[in-house]
Amino acid sequence: MPDYHDDLRLAHVLADAADAATMDRFKALDLKVETKPDMTPVSEADQAAEELIRGHLHRARPRDAILGEEYGVEGTGPRRWVIDPIDGTKNYVRGVPVWATLISLMEAGDEGFRPVVGVVSAPALNRRWWAAKGAGAFTGRSLTSASRMQVSKVGRIADASFAFSSLSGWEEQGRLDGLLDLTRACWRTRGYGDFWPYMMVAEGSVDLCAEPELSLWDMAAPAIVVQEAGGRYTSLDGEDGPGGGNAAASNGLLHDELLGYLNQRC
């Protein structure tokens, strides 16, 4: 199995640089915010962080392609870095500390591009999570000061904690009734949103989470963290990995039931 330690170390360097840039503008009274064509906000900090990461990658990995939320795809080849400079921009611009920079390396294989490295860095929460293929998932302050993560062993929906970001989107897909049935069946339901519930699945503090509509840059890094922590990360249709346009993540033991609820009336 390939060793991705150098790539993981680089991803941490990229995250360090992005953290410094985003924290410098967090809660700034003169922060500039615009609305993109898809009606989602983008701040000057989103753009600056992605430009910073791209600049580092151009120097350190000039042959690798880059896909970012703000500036699209650049380059071709079997290795592609996938970047969300600020996942949770709506939180960021309102001063809510739940946002993160997501950095992933994906490699081409027989089943298409799959994430092999992922870093999720949430500096306002003073938290970071990461994983590399075959090397496990970790959380901590640095590569040398970290704890290994493992998903929970909860085996019944009635005992499970379920997280989702909001109700919007579920009804459009004809999945709202199934979602509501799932919330009634679970022990506990909370709306954490964005990257955070996936990290809590990886840590074992949440057992299930799902979102109806996402982009690849939202999912690539969280997907490998969940998988390397022993969980499952699929689309709502059960396709493994982050390529399905939506996401369901679990400790693995409850995954088929999770998908069953979310697809029961589709």
Side-chain angles (χ1 to χ4, degrees):
M1 182 176 292
D3 182 354
Y4 295 102
H5 182 76
D6 287 346
D7 293 310
L8 180 60
R9 185 178 295 276
L10 173 60
H12 275 271
V13 171
L14 300 175
D16 288 343
D19 286 355
T22 52
M23 285 300 291
D24 183 61
R25 298 299 292 154
F26 184 48
K27 297 186 178 181
L29 296 179
D30 61 343
L31 181 72
K32 296 178 181 178
V33 182
E34 299 175 351
T35 300
K36 294 190 287 189
D38 64 0
M39 301 308 293
T40 61
V42 57
S43 74
E44 62 180 273
D46 294 80
Q47 296 166 333
E50 184 167 325
E51 289 172 350
L52 188 64
I53 293 170
R54 284 176 180 267
H56 277 279
L57 287 172
H58 288 155
R59 294 187 293 273
R61 298 289 190 274
R63 296 182 180 180
D64 293 352
I66 305 171
L67 170 64
E69 179 177 9
E70 306 308 334
Y71 297 109
V73 66
E74 179 181 5
T76 60
R79 287 165 50 98
R80 177 183 293 174
W81 293 86
V82 180
I83 306 159
D84 189 344
I86 299 178
D87 181 53
T89 298
K90 292 177 182 178
N91 284 344
Y92 184 89
V93 301
R94 290 296 301 271
V96 179
V98 183
W99 50 271
T101 294
L102 313 183
I103 300 168
S104 177
L105 172 63
M106 301 184 75
E107 282 193 347
D110 295 338
E111 300 179 349
F113 279 90
R114 296 289 187 182
V116 294
V117 166
V119 171
V120 176
S121 190
L125 296 176
N126 197 29
R127 296 295 309 275
R128 184 176 291 186
W129 305 262
W130 63 89
K133 185 177 180 181
F138 296 84
T139 183
R141 300 182 65 86
S142 68
L143 283 168
T144 57
S145 177
S147 300
R148 188 158 189 163
M149 295 190 293
Q150 190 70 34
V151 296
S152 75
K153 298 185 184 300
V154 172
R156 297 198 319 146
I157 288 289
D159 299 326
S161 179
F162 171 57
F164 64 99
S165 58
S166 69
L167 294 178
S168 62
W170 294 102
E171 188 167 21
E172 295 174 8
Q173 296 188 10
R175 302 180 193 267
L176 182 58
D177 288 341
L179 176 77
L180 294 176
D181 285 348
L182 176 59
T183 65
R184 297 181 186 109
C186 286
W187 166 66
R188 193 168 188 258
T189 303
R190 288 292 182 271
Y192 297 111
D194 300 310
F195 68 94
W196 207 7
Y198 302 100
M199 298 303 97
M200 287 191 277
V201 168
E203 291 180 320
S205 53
V206 165
D207 311 299
L208 311 163
C209 66
E211 289 183 89
E213 187 175 4
L214 293 167
S215 298
L216 181 60
W217 46 75
D218 299 312
M219 298 186 283
I224 189 167
V225 174
V226 169
Q227 290 166 343
E228 286 294 320
R232 283 193 67 190
Y233 191 108
T234 73
S235 70
L236 298 179
D237 295 325
E239 175 188 347
D240 285 321
N246 46 46
S250 77
N251 63 3
L253 299 174
L254 301 171
H255 206 81
D256 290 341
E257 286 186 83
L258 169 63
L259 296 181
Y261 274 101
L262 298 178
N263 289 294
Q264 65 183 359
R265 292 188 174 93
C266 291

